[in-house]
Amino acid sequence: KSHRVGCKAVSLPCKKNSSISSVHPIPSPFSLTSHHASSIISVLRYQLLNETYTPDTVAALTLIHQHLDSTFKKALEDREDVTKRVGQYGDVGMGFEDLAKEYGELLKRIEDKKWTIEQLKGRTDHI
């Protein structure tokens, strides 16, 4: 008797007077060994990948991957740099926050004075 496995017929011993036809269907997946099942899955996976990803698709995906990888590395470097800077500001001490606040207040006062001067200029032009 022969047995079909994939596209090939394999001869198998058969009992005399058996009512089973000479070609048996593919055995249940549960009767396959894990090695065979793994091999079949692997082959199917590679066939699917081969049909899905053409050489042009692979080239495009490679470029995208390289871009994303370099962007990711740059972001990590930037984060490390910012973290170091924040640490340096923290090393300056508590007085730094007071200085920064005072600096901001001085900038606001300067802007207020500039606005006042512009308003006064506009009024003196009419006199």
Side-chain angles (χ1 to χ4, degrees):
K1 300 278 179 169
S2 65
H3 181 77
R4 290 211 178 266
V5 177
C7 295
K8 297 180 181 178
V10 179
S11 296
L12 296 175
C14 189
K15 294 181 183 178
K16 289 185 178 181
N17 300 327
S18 172
S19 62
I20 300 175
S21 67
S22 64
V23 176
H24 301 285
I26 295 177
S28 165
F30 301 111
S31 68
L32 295 174
T33 65
S34 63
H35 174 71
H36 289 98
S38 177
S39 296
I40 291 170
I41 290 170
S42 180
V43 167
L44 291 174
R45 178 177 178 266
Y46 286 113
Q47 284 177 343
L48 178 67
L49 289 173
N50 188 40
E51 292 171 6
T52 303
Y53 298 107
T54 65
D56 291 339
T57 306
V58 171
L61 289 173
T62 300
L63 289 174
I64 292 168
H65 179 267
Q66 290 171 348
H67 173 73
L68 291 174
D69 190 49
S70 66
T71 302
F72 179 73
K73 287 178 182 177
K74 176 80 169 102
L76 288 176
E77 291 171 4
D78 291 347
R79 183 184 68 178
E80 186 176 324
D81 183 49
V82 169
T83 302
K84 284 180 183 178
R85 283 184 175 178
V86 168
Q88 290 171 347
Y89 288 130
D91 291 343
V92 172
M94 295 301 288
F96 176 75
E97 287 181 25
D98 294 335
L99 286 173
K101 184 177 179 181
E102 184 180 346
Y103 178 75
E105 290 170 358
L106 289 172
L107 286 177
K108 180 164 177 16
R109 286 177 58 193
I110 290 169
E111 287 300 315
D112 289 343
K113 298 300 179 189
K114 285 181 181 178
W115 181 82
T116 303
I117 291 169
E118 289 299 317
Q119 293 300 313
L120 292 172
K121 277 184 182 179
R123 290 187 184 174
T124 58
D125 291 338
H126 296 292
I127 298 181

